[in-house]
Amino acid sequence: MAEPTTTSRHDLGVGLISVGWMGKLHSRAYQALPYVYPETGIRPRLLHAADTAPDRVDYATDVLGYARGSTDYREVLADPEVDVVSICAPNMLHREIGLAAAEAGKPFWIEKPVGRNVEDTAAVAAAANAAGLVTSIGFNYRHAPAVEHSRELVASGALGRVTNVRAVFFSGYASEPKGALSWRFNRELAGSGALGDLFSHVVDLVQYVVGPVAEVTALTSTVYTERPILPMGSATHFAVIEDGELGPVENEDYAAALVRFAGEAQGAGAVGTLEASRTIVGPQCGLAFELYGTDGSLAWNFEQMNELRVCLGRGGAHQGYTTVLGNAELGDYARFQPGPGIGMGYDDLKVTEAKKFLVAVVGGERRNCSVDDALSAAEVVAAAERSAADGSWQKVPAVTGTTAARRG
Ligand SMILES: NC(=O)c1ccc[n+]([C@@H]2O[C@H](COP(=O)([O-])OP(=O)(O)OC[C@H]3O[C@@H](n4cnc5c(N)ncnc54)[C@H](O)[C@@H]3O)[C@@H](O)[C@H]2O)c1
């Protein structure tokens, strides 16, 4: 592959709010961007990081390379050298910090699910759109080359009309009964459980590939009702605590939904099942979909991220699925690997996410996943919550301006 040539140079000062798992990953994505996408001319400079845990501020300056640190996120937003902000705080802070970033006029890359509920997400979306800001959401799985290719195959009609979809996020991060009671299990701090945390990824994925979800009926369950307490900012939600004091799990471990897709394009009339679990034993990070069309099918699982199973047409000697490995024809694969069949990883998806965000910030192509996509996913999650409470079918309000609805 010829090296892309650089156009004009864009130096951008980066602010980071919260130095947990995602905060570190956003930082590494900004650092990798100039190597992976040199032709963008974008040169992120890690300037100012904040976390309420002082040792994490030290980590940001001493290890990640931020020029300065703070224990108050407001100092990041007030920093005149900060051009863009990553908001990687727990869900209960998304609304407050998202609104503050919009008021400060800083384009922001915020982690999913953008708040604890659809009201939080709608408030952040309204503020960002009113301020005319470019935004980016941490729905990283949509950037996997196999997923980008699946979206193209659906849009081109290669599968015919999509008839039915099965999609799941089966994660085992809370399968251990003594797994820590992090903020994720508290309604005030996280909002919903598996719905906001995992099901939102499933929704974004199927909406990105197939089209908007229009109607839903759902059920939820909680597998473990108590867990050992984990103080904020210490360890991750994968931690296991042997003899800790127990606290209540306040949201669902599992959710399942039947959905109808909106009557648009290749997804017209499609139906499907969507599920999420954080306590499953077996699958580890099993975000997966199967798409069935009148002329073909696709199957993908993040646990084998570099493999797409494709079936096009009904007959012939090779009927049924063929496994296609990562190659230069799929999404941005060629930016990461020089030849086919060499595995990409989770962190690479964040580099593509950073690139889509910052290209839009400097006035280029708008392929970024935006607050409108976050609101669209939150509307589906809210409809699933309402349905789970009374067993009804719930309509999902349509959201305009999403990249999911914009084909190509
Ligand atoms: N896109 C993905 O695949 C993905 C994966 C994991 C998490 N997430 C999302 O990322 C967000 C963060 O999750 P995480 O796993 O990185 O959490 P984490 O628990 O690893 O880190 C959260 C950090 O926020 C800090 N914090 C708490 N209060 C703060 C405040 N007032 N100001 C500044 N910092 C504060 C904590 O000290 C901690 O360092 C969540 O919204 C989560 O849903 C997304």
Side-chain angles (χ1 to χ4, degrees):
M1 183 186 71
E3 290 294 327
T5 50
T6 304
T7 51
S8 49
R9 183 174 164 130
H10 306 279
D11 289 299
L12 293 173
V14 170
L16 171 66
I17 297 173
S18 297
V19 193
W21 178 19
M22 283 302 112
K24 292 175 197 170
L25 186 50
H26 281 223
S27 305
R28 292 205 297 276
Y30 287 124
Q31 286 165 328
L33 192 155
Y35 303 103
V36 178
Y37 298 102
E39 82 289 359
T40 62
I42 294 169
R43 301 289 180 273
R45 289 187 301 130
L46 304 187
L47 269 183
H48 200 152
D51 198 295
T52 40
D55 59 324
R56 294 199 169 185
V57 179
D58 292 344
Y59 181 89
T61 51
D62 299 350
V63 180
L64 295 176
Y66 282 84
R68 38 193 178 271
S70 167
T71 50
D72 185 347
Y73 77 82
R74 290 171 198 84
E75 293 195 17
V76 172
L77 296 178
D79 190 325
E81 287 191 276
V82 167
D83 300 306
V84 297
V85 182
S86 272
I87 302 173
C88 300
N91 302 357
M92 80 286 192
L93 292 165
H94 290 174
R95 181 177 187 151
E96 175 189 319
I97 301 174
L99 295 185
E103 197 178 332
K106 310 269 187 194
F108 58 89
W109 176 11
I110 188 167
E111 269 308 325
K112 43 62 62 179
V114 189
R116 292 159 297 185
N117 48 46
V118 69
E119 290 78 19
D120 280 357
T121 319
V124 174
N129 287 336
L133 292 176
V134 170
T135 52
S136 173
I137 312 298
F139 284 129
N140 24 259
Y141 300 101
R142 55 160 63 194
H143 315 300
V147 174
E148 296 277 24
H149 189 61
S150 297
R151 174 174 156 93
E152 285 168 18
L153 284 173
V154 169
S156 72
L159 305 185
R161 182 167 51 80
V162 177
T163 54
N164 56 301
V165 175
R166 296 170 71 187
V168 301
F169 199 159
F170 282 164
S171 169
Y173 78 72
S175 61
E176 168 59 55
K178 291 181 179 167
L181 188 76
S182 71
W183 57 265
R184 283 177 164 77
F185 300 84
N186 179 293
R187 207 158 260 288
E188 181 57 26
L189 302 182
S192 59
L195 275 170
D197 200 21
L198 303 174
F199 190 83
S200 62
H201 275 299
V202 180
V203 171
D204 184 68
L205 204 59
V206 298
Q207 295 206 118
Y208 189 59
V209 175
V210 178
V213 170
E215 220 180 335
V216 57
T217 184
L219 60 80
T220 59
S221 69
T222 302
V223 178
Y224 298 108
T225 54
E226 287 190 316
R227 292 179 176 278
I229 294 166
L230 176 75
M232 178 69 81
S234 62
T236 73
H237 59 298
F238 294 98
V240 173
I241 302 173
E242 283 305 330
D243 296 312
E245 185 192 344
L246 297 179
V249 171
E250 296 176 353
N251 49 29
E252 73 289 339
D253 288 329
Y254 171 83
L258 286 175
V259 300
R260 279 187 224 285
F261 289 83
E264 291 176 17
Q266 310 302 337
V271 294
T273 62
L274 313 181
E275 280 177 278
S277 172
R278 61 187 180 189
T279 52
I280 206 132
V281 175
Q284 304 284 293
C285 193
L287 175 62
F289 61 71
E290 296 169 15
L291 307 182
Y292 299 97
T294 50
D295 295 327
S297 302
L298 299 172
W300 177 79
N301 186 332
F302 174 73
E303 291 184 353
Q304 291 85 37
M305 175 182 133
N306 299 286
E307 299 178 15
L308 179 64
R309 296 173 69 221
V310 182
C311 171
L312 297 179
R314 294 172 197 80
H318 301 125
Q319 59 189 281
Y321 279 114
T322 298
T323 299
V324 174
L325 298 182
N327 68 70
E329 301 294 317
L330 311 188
D332 278 5
Y333 177 89
R335 296 315 188 94
F336 295 90
Q337 300 297 354
I342 305 169
M344 283 174 60
Y346 175 81
D347 291 13
D348 295 330
L349 306 181
K350 280 298 200 207
V351 181
T352 302
E353 193 161 277
K355 180 272 237 171
K356 287 181 179 175
F357 172 43
L358 295 185
V359 163
V361 166
V362 300
E365 226 186 346
R366 291 213 166 196
R367 292 188 59 218
N368 51 309
C369 175
S370 74
V371 284
D372 300 317
D373 293 285
L375 180 57
S376 176
E379 290 286 9
V380 178
V381 167
E385 276 194 292
R386 290 194 303 274
S387 167
D390 66 6
S392 61
W393 273 92
Q394 291 284 325
K395 297 242 187 283
V396 180
V399 175
T400 55
T402 65
T403 46
R406 206 185 311 146
R407 307 313 297 182

